[in-house]
Amino acid sequence: MQRLTINEIAKSCGGKVFGPPSLGDQSVTDIKIDSRQVQPGELFVAVKGENTDGHFYIDKALDNGAVCVVCEKPLGDKPHILVESTFAALKDIAEYYRGLFDIKVIAITGSVGKTTAKEMVASVLSQKYSVLKTEGNFNNEFGLPQTIFKIEKHHDIAVLELGMSEAGEMKRLSKVAKPDVVLMINIGESHIGNLGSRENIFRAKCEIFEYMSDDAVVVLNGDDDKLSMIDTKGAIFFGRNKSNDVKLKEILSEDMNGTRLTADCFGQQIELFIPKPGEYMIYPALAAAAMGARFGLTPQQISAGVESYLPVSQRMDIVETDSITIIDDVYNASRQSILAGAQTMKFAKGRSVAIVGDVLELGEYAEDIHFKIGEGLAKLGIDVIICVGKDSKHAWEGASGISKASVHYYASKQDLLSKMPELIKKGDTVFVKASRGMHFEEIVDKLKKL
């Protein structure tokens, strides 16, 4: 992080400095919201989260060497910046810090595949530029500022993932990021329980445009029924349809190791190898190719970047044990991502087994969406379908109605774990996926020991 003075920080967030007279001229080397991570010379922002309040850990942060803290309550003679809201202050400071750099910011959003697209785009652009990217799941109003604070003078491009669960959130994220390029992957059903409809999700996602730069470039999935209707001057469209600027020409080969294809990138043919299975991986690869071409990369650099892509842990990780193959995709889930991931089971050498759990935050749509998940899995011809969780009973119902497969239902993860040795056979390929809150990594760990 580029050093900032306490006075600079206070001015950026409308705070008032308290402490020794010389405090305002002191500089900080980084900004943290977790007191356990604070190092000497850094600033601690005491934000209030869902499960805790940073104000409880102010003394710990100071003991760890914090120069100053940002807080909502007076701290006497302790070095602090007093603000009305530490949550708002965190974003205000990040917005100020982002404005200090002449850097191209790419903001990526969508209902499914944001992280894959972020990793793919960063991998491609890194072939030519110094790239900062969002790490882990730091894509919300707590995480985005922490990524912004990692920008250094040597960075040419920041590839930022923006997620949202409610109306207004994307607008607030866009205000911090001030994107020069907006990449939208798709509009699905994630958080439909909060937002009520795909149309509302679409509107909420489009808030990202409100704070983009005047000459910003917009890159959109032209196959998506919502995104294809956006009328933005100079927009770049990618997808499988022939009308797109960057489009699939031909799939040359595909198996569990990945997909090789040719793409038409603004009229130029490029061969790409995606080192992960599944046709749904084609979309982020095409988006990355579009981005590479937009930033002046050669076809060779674009191809090398796609082939160098490394997925985030628990995203289509293929684990070979002595007896089975596990496709670990437990990081998170939606209906679309479950069915897209399960399509890779067509490459299974032995029996195909899908273990799926609840998709959360669907509200009144949970029954219908889970039923469709079950139907979709059955139509893929998977040999064994195992549904786990309260809402997944409807997936079991959907699969049972049309499937010739062996379909099982377990109300809890614990119920399944005790039965797993009976269900899984040597030579099986097992796909595992559910929403993050289901903690299906426990199922993967059990599978590894079979």
Side-chain angles (χ1 to χ4, degrees):
M1 178 182 178
Q2 179 175 306
R3 287 175 175 264
L4 297 177
T5 67
I6 299 298
N7 280 336
E8 264 188 291
I9 292 168
K11 184 177 180 181
S12 72
C13 64
K16 186 174 181 181
V17 179
F18 292 89
S22 61
L23 178 63
D25 294 326
Q26 292 189 46
S27 61
V28 301
T29 56
D30 206 346
I31 297 173
K32 300 286 177 61
I33 65 172
D34 187 335
S35 63
R36 296 168 297 183
Q37 298 176 358
V38 171
Q39 300 291 322
E42 297 179 347
L43 177 80
F44 175 64
V45 184
V47 295
K48 296 177 180 178
E50 293 182 4
N51 301 314
T52 189
D53 183 343
H55 290 80
F56 297 148
Y57 306 100
I58 286 174
D59 288 340
K60 176 66 175 177
L62 292 171
D63 289 344
N64 284 346
V67 172
C68 184
V69 301
V70 179
C71 55
E72 299 173 8
K73 303 173 183 177
L75 299 179
D77 60 356
K78 294 177 182 178
H80 65 284
I81 299 172
L82 189 64
V83 297
E84 289 187 9
S85 166
T86 51
F87 188 38
L90 177 70
K91 291 177 284 186
D92 289 341
I93 299 166
E95 181 181 351
Y96 170 77
Y97 187 78
R98 185 264 183 266
L100 298 177
F101 297 87
D102 182 17
I103 185 174
K104 292 297 183 184
V105 170
I106 299 172
I108 299 178
T109 194
S111 297
V112 180
K114 295 184 295 295
T115 301
T116 299
K118 177 257 298 183
E119 293 294 330
M120 194 86 76
V121 168
S123 182
V124 167
L125 295 179
S126 293
Q127 301 298 309
K128 182 176 181 179
Y129 299 101
S130 175
V131 177
L132 173 73
K133 65 179 180 181
T134 301
E135 297 293 345
N137 61 347
F138 280 26
N139 64 3
N140 59 20
E141 293 180 80
F142 294 99
L144 175 63
Q146 294 176 78
T147 302
I148 295 286
F149 295 140
K150 294 183 183 299
I151 297 175
E152 302 278 2
K153 288 183 178 179
H154 67 83
H155 288 125
D156 302 307
I157 299 171
V159 180
L160 306 178
E161 178 182 334
L162 306 188
M164 53 130 244
S165 59
E166 63 181 20
E169 187 172 3
M170 188 59 68
K171 180 179 179 179
R172 297 190 295 269
L173 291 169
S174 180
K175 185 174 185 293
V176 174
K178 300 289 195 305
D180 300 291
V181 180
V182 170
L183 168 59
M184 298 184 75
I185 300 298
N186 48 47
I187 303 297
E189 300 162 342
S190 299
H191 310 296
I192 197 170
N194 295 337
L195 289 156
S197 68
R198 278 189 73 230
E199 183 61 34
N200 289 343
I201 293 170
F202 174 57
R203 291 195 190 99
K205 290 289 186 185
C206 285
E207 293 172 5
I208 197 172
F209 299 135
E210 295 197 29
Y211 285 95
M212 65 184 185
S213 60
D214 292 339
D215 58 348
V217 176
V218 177
V219 183
L220 304 166
N221 180 347
D223 296 351
D224 185 282
D225 62 329
K226 300 291 185 184
L227 298 181
S228 62
M229 300 302 293
I230 293 178
D231 183 17
T232 301
K233 184 179 179 181
I236 296 169
F237 290 94
F238 65 91
R240 302 177 73 119
N241 294 338
K242 293 181 179 180
S243 59
N244 291 303
D245 302 295
V246 179
K247 48 189 169 285
L248 172 69
K249 288 288 288 184
E250 182 182 5
I251 295 177
L252 303 175
S253 65
E254 54 178 340
D255 56 27
M256 198 64 84
N257 295 314
T259 302
R260 188 172 299 278
L261 59 87
T262 53
D264 180 326
C265 190
F266 300 102
Q268 188 169 28
Q269 184 166 294
I270 302 177
E271 185 171 312
L272 304 174
F273 176 70
I274 308 167
K276 281 291 175 182
E279 288 194 19
Y280 68 98
M281 294 289 293
I282 291 172
Y283 283 96
L286 293 175
M291 206 69 72
R294 178 64 180 77
F295 278 86
L297 273 69
T298 65
Q300 294 76 19
Q301 288 172 321
I302 293 171
S303 294
V306 171
E307 189 164 354
S308 300
Y309 158 76
L310 293 173
V312 174
S313 178
Q314 299 179 331
R315 304 286 183 109
M316 295 301 291
D317 285 346
I318 299 174
V319 181
E320 299 280 356
T321 74
D322 291 337
S323 58
I324 63 172
T325 299
I326 305 166
I327 303 177
D328 176 1
D329 199 26
V330 303
Y331 187 84
N332 214 339
S334 66
R335 177 174 68 93
Q336 291 89 346
S337 65
I338 287 174
L339 298 180
Q343 288 180 9
T344 61
M345 302 294 278
K346 65 186 178 182
F347 304 123
K349 294 179 181 178
R351 290 194 316 165
S352 55
V353 181
I355 303 177
V356 298
D358 290 353
V359 177
L360 306 178
E361 298 185 25
L362 297 180
E364 63 183 282
Y365 298 89
E367 179 176 344
D368 179 59
I369 289 174
H370 282 88
F371 190 89
K372 289 177 179 176
I373 289 172
E375 285 187 324
L377 291 172
K379 291 174 181 178
L380 290 175
I382 294 170
D383 297 314
V384 182
I385 300 171
I386 302 170
C387 307
V388 184
K390 179 175 66 70
D391 291 328
S392 289
K393 185 174 183 179
H394 304 298
W396 170 72
E397 293 167 349
S400 298
I402 61 175
S403 180
K404 296 179 181 179
S406 175
V407 184
H408 306 265
Y409 171 68
Y410 295 93
S412 72
K413 187 171 50 185
Q414 288 69 31
D415 291 341
L416 169 62
L417 290 172
S418 65
K419 296 290 185 180
M420 202 122 65
E422 304 170 21
L423 295 168
I424 307 302
K425 297 180 180 180
K426 187 173 183 178
D428 286 351
T429 297
V430 187
F431 171 72
V432 190
K433 193 166 183 64
S435 279
R436 190 74 191 92
M438 296 294 288
H439 299 289
F440 265 32
E441 62 271 16
E442 296 175 28
I443 292 175
V444 172
D445 289 342
K446 178 73 172 181
L447 287 167
K448 291 176 180 178
K449 298 173 183 177
L450 293 179

